[in-house]
Amino acid sequence: MNVLVLGAGQLARMMALAVKPLNINIRAFDVSSGNVVDPLTSNIIFNDLAQGIEFADFITAEFEHIDHQTLATCQASGKLRPASQAIKVGGDRRLEKSLLTQCAVANAQHKIIETKADFDQALNQLSFPLILKSALAGYDGKGQWRLKDKTTAEEVWLDIKAFFDGGEQGVKHAVIAEQMVPFDREVSLVGVRDSQGNTLVYPLTQNHHSKGVLSVSIATHVNEILQTQAQQVFDSIAKELDYVGVLAIEFFQVGEQLLVNEIAPRVHNSGHWTQQGADTCQFENHLRAVCDLPLGSTELIRPTAMINILGEDSVPNEILNVASTKLHWYGKSKRAGRKMGHINVSGKSEAQLASRLMLLANLLPEAAFDELKPYIAGYQNSLSS
Ligand code: ATP
Ligand code: MG
């Protein structure tokens, strides 16, 4: 079976590694060069999309910011899974919010802003603090603003205006103003749906973000109330999109309620722990769904965590002395803040996992993993209290 993945980053790479034993061959379409490449070596296989489509039995995507012409071409081939509409929803917060409304799924109070009048109205109707997010992909690390109160509103508006003007021409830009949610935790649910409508979900994962980027994910035995809530949200969104493949949903947990933050129509960073903590990893399950193979069990086999390696191309080898620790590099060149790789670690019990995480936190350089130690210490404390 041959599968073309739109996008040639680490997610395509991990899909290729996971499904080689199933005799599924992955080729990746590098959207920036227009070449179809081997996702492991980056060697060029074809130099246009058409040959990639011809090669493929199925086509899927590893990210959602794909130009609509490419999506339309792939959709027209009848091979694209999930469908282009589902991929577009993940790439435009306006579509995402209207999907949540349509599915009656709880999320943060928000307003869509295209003009100064919308901006003023949003500031009057929502309560502070606010977070404003570009509806489409941000660029150069821009695209999110935080507003504590009205004092800096004018300044922020001018910045947003400049952002609209500097963005792609001929595209209707917008930002979504959202009330900041005073969450207790951030969690995410990764699940998979096949073309017959069968779904399976992994246990909810607890996520810690540092400077807006995922830093640690921990998957252990879950709170059944939250898991059921999350699964219902997953089922309704996946059904509405007639989704095929792995879909991730990020939530804010407030008490025992989950509010959706965003959805990702693809395998997700917060699901990398499944490579060693679940019966079948997210990458294999995504391709099983896409290729019409039976889905694999999503059961947790042992408490497992993932630590992201951001902006570093080496870590001390000693971390591999910590039992059950596995290192995954993506083969990318070093750039500040870039997702370069991740570390997975498991334990027989949650306490054992926590103590292994602390061993890792002590070995990893504090400058590059700045919030890791306090976060793990807090996690350890939460287990003993
Ligand atoms: P990523 O692609 O890494 O998931 P993103 O750029 O798409 O991130 P969001 O997930 O929307 O952006 O936001 C990043 C982080 O900012 C969230 O994980 C959360 O920590 C914080 N955040 C975003 N929206 C809110 C909100 N409404 N209330 C509180 N915190 C928020
Ligand atoms: Mg997010």
Side-chain angles (χ1 to χ4, degrees), residues 93 186 209 212 250 261-262 268:
R93 292 187 198 273
E186 289 190 77
H209 291 78
E250 296 179 19
N261 172 26
E262 58 174 356
H268 194 253

Side-chain angles (χ1 to χ4, degrees), residues 237-253:
I237 290 176
K239 185 164 184 232
E240 181 66 29
L241 294 172
D242 196 16
Y243 199 86
V244 179
V246 163
L247 168 76
I249 306 177
E250 296 179 19
F251 297 95
F252 299 124
Q253 181 190 337

Side-chain angles (χ1 to χ4, degrees), residues 1 3 30 113 136 142 148 153 293 305 379:
M1 192 85 76
V3 176
D30 180 345
I113 298 174
L136 301 167
K142 295 184 181 172
K148 273 205 226 67
L293 297 170
Y379 171 60

Side-chain angles (χ1 to χ4, degrees), residues 93 108 131 133 144 146 178-181 183 186 209 212-214 250 252 261-262 268 339:
R93 292 187 198 273
I131 181 164
K133 306 176 184 178
Q144 287 211 0
R146 290 179 187 219
E178 239 177 62
Q179 268 172 222
M180 286 294 274
V181 176
F183 56 78
E186 289 190 77
H209 291 78
V213 182
L214 182 66
E250 296 179 19
F252 299 124
N261 172 26
E262 58 174 356
H268 194 253
K339 289 179 179 173

Side-chain angles (χ1 to χ4, degrees), residues 329-351:
W329 288 114
Y330 307 152
K332 302 201 289 197
S333 52
K334 186 170 165 170
R335 203 166 61 214
R338 194 174 199 195
K339 289 179 179 173
M340 300 291 292
H342 69 271
I343 300 163
N344 282 336
V345 60
S346 304
K348 286 198 187 79
S349 63
E350 232 184 307

Side-chain angles (χ1 to χ4, degrees), residues 37-52:
V37 302
D38 179 320
L40 300 182
T41 62
S42 301
N43 289 341
I44 297 171
I45 314 278
F46 307 121
N47 43 30
D48 67 10
L49 178 62
Q51 290 178 79

Side-chain angles (χ1 to χ4, degrees), residues 322-324 345-348 351-361:
V322 177
S324 93
V345 60
S346 304
K348 286 198 187 79
Q352 190 178 58
L353 171 63
S355 67
R356 288 176 180 170
L357 276 168
M358 191 46 100
L359 290 174
L360 291 172

